[in-house]
Amino acid sequence: MFAEERRMKIAEIINRGDSVKVSQLAKRFNVSESTIRRDLNELEKHGLILRTHGGAVSTISKLEATFVEKQDKCAEEKERIGKIAAEQIKDGDTVILDSGTTTLYISKFIKAKNIIVITNSIALTYELSNRDDIQLINTGGIIRSNTKAQVGSITEKVIKQFRVDKVFLGANGISLEFGVTTPTLQEAGVKQAMIDVADKVYLLVDESKFGKVYFSWICDIKDIDYIITNKKRNEEEMEYFRNLGVNLLY
């Protein structure tokens, strides 16, 4: 097992329960306690867990801001990203718009006509419901009060019935090492279903999301076709994205 895979499994174990001991993890993964300590230090550095004496505990309750809390954060940057994303939608396209405060801005700039939009966002459903030139499909599902996203098996089942040209995803973190992540398993599952049915995948992330890692893995960076952000990344990151075939729009 690679170190990255072991660390994500450790994070999953910790965030499912109350606490773990270094000795327990070392025995479970058949590695030394010093290796586990290094793993825990790395996970804590990324904000995934909190180290304690002899072990670690979950920080999951601290990881997810509410929709209202996120709405005003980096609003100007999100608006720029939303405008760029809307320009990628062409007449006649079928698209999925993921729930999120960044994807919400897309609705303000869509000029394409005769498109079909599928969304699990309560806010986006409201914003687009009066557009006569858009056929709007709401996924249904359990509504998360924190993020106003619809999630769960109902949402995933509806999404899997379609095949679309483009999906526009939001995420809480993007890391060169750990990929694209979000705080909750339910939202990660819905986003994975969206990726599976789309021809092209667009990830919308402002500069504050880079280098961040959260509990639930969505996908590897190589699974993304386009990253839309508000400013150019450093040359090392740009080269990394290019080598994976990922295009950066900013």
Side-chain angles (χ1 to χ4, degrees), residues 90-102:
K90 308 302 180 184
D91 292 353
D93 271 352
T94 54
V95 302
I96 293 177
L97 299 183
D98 183 22
S99 178
T101 54
T102 305

Side-chain angles (χ1 to χ4, degrees), residues 1-198:
M1 181 183 294
F2 292 112
E4 292 84 359
E5 184 182 358
R6 185 180 62 250
R7 288 168 187 165
M8 293 309 289
K9 287 185 180 297
I10 290 171
E12 185 178 351
I13 291 167
I14 293 170
N15 283 298
R16 279 204 308 256
D18 295 327
S19 65
V20 295
K21 298 294 184 184
V22 169
S23 57
Q24 294 171 333
L25 292 172
K27 185 176 180 180
R28 176 164 184 162
F29 290 98
N30 195 29
V31 295
S32 68
E33 291 190 8
S34 60
T35 296
I36 293 296
R37 290 190 187 94
R38 286 195 295 272
D39 289 341
L40 294 178
N41 288 338
E42 190 69 20
L43 290 169
E44 184 178 49
K45 185 174 73 175
H46 289 288
L48 286 170
I49 56 105
L50 181 66
R51 286 298 312 272
T52 62
H53 180 69
V57 296
S58 170
T59 61
I60 192 165
S61 62
K62 304 173 185 177
L63 288 177
E64 188 173 33
T66 67
F67 186 89
V68 174
E69 288 170 340
K70 292 189 290 185
Q71 199 164 20
D72 293 330
K73 186 178 179 181
C74 302
E76 191 174 321
E77 290 84 353
K78 291 176 181 179
E79 185 171 13
R80 292 195 198 109
I81 293 168
K83 188 173 184 179
I84 295 169
E87 291 169 355
Q88 312 310 309
I89 302 174
K90 308 302 180 184
D91 292 353
D93 271 352
T94 54
V95 302
I96 293 177
L97 299 183
D98 183 22
S99 178
T101 54
T102 305
T103 52
L104 179 60
Y105 279 95
I106 298 176
S107 64
K108 303 178 185 298
F109 299 105
I110 294 176
K111 295 180 180 179
K113 308 295 183 184
N114 301 316
I115 65 173
I116 297 175
V117 173
I118 303 165
T119 185
N120 69 323
S121 165
I122 297 298
L124 271 166
T125 299
Y126 176 79
E127 289 289 332
L128 295 174
S129 59
N130 293 320
R131 287 281 299 265
D132 293 333
D133 52 349
I134 294 177
Q135 182 179 337
L136 183 64
I137 299 171
N138 180 268
T139 62
I142 299 168
I143 300 173
R144 298 195 66 234
S145 58
N146 228 25
T147 62
K148 310 306 179 190
Q150 293 164 301
V151 298
S153 59
I154 294 172
T155 309
E156 293 180 31
K157 186 175 181 180
V158 170
I159 290 168
K160 289 174 183 178
Q161 294 182 53
F162 301 101
R163 294 295 180 269
V164 300
D165 298 311
K166 298 160 186 171
V167 59
F168 296 85
L169 288 176
N172 297 73
I174 175 171
S175 159
L176 301 188
E177 183 177 4
F178 292 106
V180 184
T181 55
T182 194
T184 62
L185 285 169
Q186 281 185 313
E187 294 212 20
V190 171
K191 293 172 192 291
Q192 289 164 2
M194 292 175 173
I195 291 170
D196 288 343
V197 302

Side-chain angles (χ1 to χ4, degrees), residues 175-238:
S175 159
L176 301 188
E177 183 177 4
F178 292 106
V180 184
T181 55
T182 194
T184 62
L185 285 169
Q186 281 185 313
E187 294 212 20
V190 171
K191 293 172 192 291
Q192 289 164 2
M194 292 175 173
I195 291 170
D196 288 343
V197 302
D199 182 44
K200 297 294 181 185
V201 179
Y202 293 78
L203 179 67
L204 281 59
V205 282
D206 64 70
E207 59 186 300
S208 69
K209 310 292 178 61
F210 285 86
K212 300 290 178 63
V213 182
Y214 288 80
F215 173 54
S216 300
W217 176 85
I218 299 169
C219 66
D220 292 326
I221 293 175
K222 64 180 176 59
D223 299 320
I224 302 296
D225 296 295
Y226 296 89
I227 296 173
I228 304 179
T229 189
N230 58 297
K231 65 186 294 186
K232 186 177 181 180
R233 306 303 300 167
N234 63 57
E235 190 52 42
E236 182 183 356
E237 283 185 79
M238 296 286 284

